[in-house]
């Protein structure tokens, strides 16, 4: 029975053709190393505007960074081409809205599902890419 379950799980994973990436950010360390050079190298103007609208902007910078890292890790499993941080953009239509991903160098290549969470001193993100697209 156990072998049948494992075989079914292997078949399911193979059939889904997806990759996954995740990232966990310890916010106190992120805050200590955050500076203008990093912000301008990593974040798009829209991401900066989104994060700066909150009283605790650093939390939103950290969660957006976790999201970018998660997306990057998922993409790198299927595409080894160079991908700059500003080529991955995390957008939301409203404060606290559903995060969406734009990969600027290939906007239609990947179908990406993204979830971002934060609790206490941590921000976490997970990205799933459907490679059937």
């Amino acid at each position: 029975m156990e072998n049948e379950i494992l075989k079914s799980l292997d078949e399911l994973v193979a059939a889904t053709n997806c990759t996954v990436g995740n990232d966990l950010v310890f916010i106190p360390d992120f805050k200590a190393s955050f500076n203008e050079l990093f912000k301008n190298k990593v974040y798009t103007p829209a991401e900066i505007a989104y994060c700066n609208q909150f009283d605790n902007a650093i939390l939103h910078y950290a969660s957006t960074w976790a999201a970018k890292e998660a997306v990057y890790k998922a993409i790198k499993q299927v595409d080894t081409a160079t991908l700059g941080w500003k080529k991955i953009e995390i957008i939301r239509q409203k404060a606290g809205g559903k995060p969406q991903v734009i990969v600027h160098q290939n906007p239609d290549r990947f179908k990406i599902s993204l979830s971002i969470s934060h609790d206490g001193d941590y921000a976490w993100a997970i990205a799933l890419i459907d490679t059937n697209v």
Side-chain angles (χ1 to χ4, degrees):
M1 177 75 162
E2 183 177 333
N3 286 340
E4 290 176 21
I5 293 172
L6 290 175
K7 182 181 175 190
S8 295
L9 182 58
D10 288 341
E11 290 170 354
L12 177 63
V13 169
T16 58
N17 291 318
C18 70
T19 62
V20 63
N22 74 88
D23 195 62
L24 180 69
V25 174
F26 184 57
I27 296 170
D29 287 350
F30 180 85
K31 183 177 181 179
S33 64
F34 187 80
N35 58 46
E36 287 296 312
L37 179 64
F38 176 78
K39 179 171 82 171
N40 292 322
K41 182 178 178 181
V42 170
Y43 300 95
T44 66
E47 290 169 331
I48 292 169
Y50 176 81
C51 294
N52 284 342
Q53 72 179 322
F54 297 96
D55 290 336
N56 189 3
I58 200 72
L59 171 66
H60 298 277
Y61 279 109
S63 61
T64 301
W65 173 245
K68 285 176 172 270
E69 280 273 4
V71 170
Y72 179 87
K73 291 172 183 176
I75 289 174
K76 285 303 178 182
Q77 294 176 50
V78 292
D79 186 349
T80 59
T82 303
L83 182 62
W85 292 115
K86 287 188 176 182
K87 298 291 183 188
I88 301 169
E89 186 170 26
I90 311 302
I91 59 170
R92 298 135 176 121
Q93 298 303 319
K94 60 180 181 176
K98 176 184 173 185
Q100 295 176 315
V101 181
I102 298 173
V103 180
H104 288 287
Q105 71 187 42
N106 256 334
D108 297 325
R109 178 161 181 212
F110 303 108
K111 181 178 177 185
I112 303 173
S113 180
L114 178 65
S115 180
I116 304 171
S117 184
H118 45 81
D119 187 19
D121 286 338
Y122 294 92
W124 181 72
I126 186 167
L128 285 133
I129 297 179
D130 182 350
T131 58
N132 288 321
V133 176

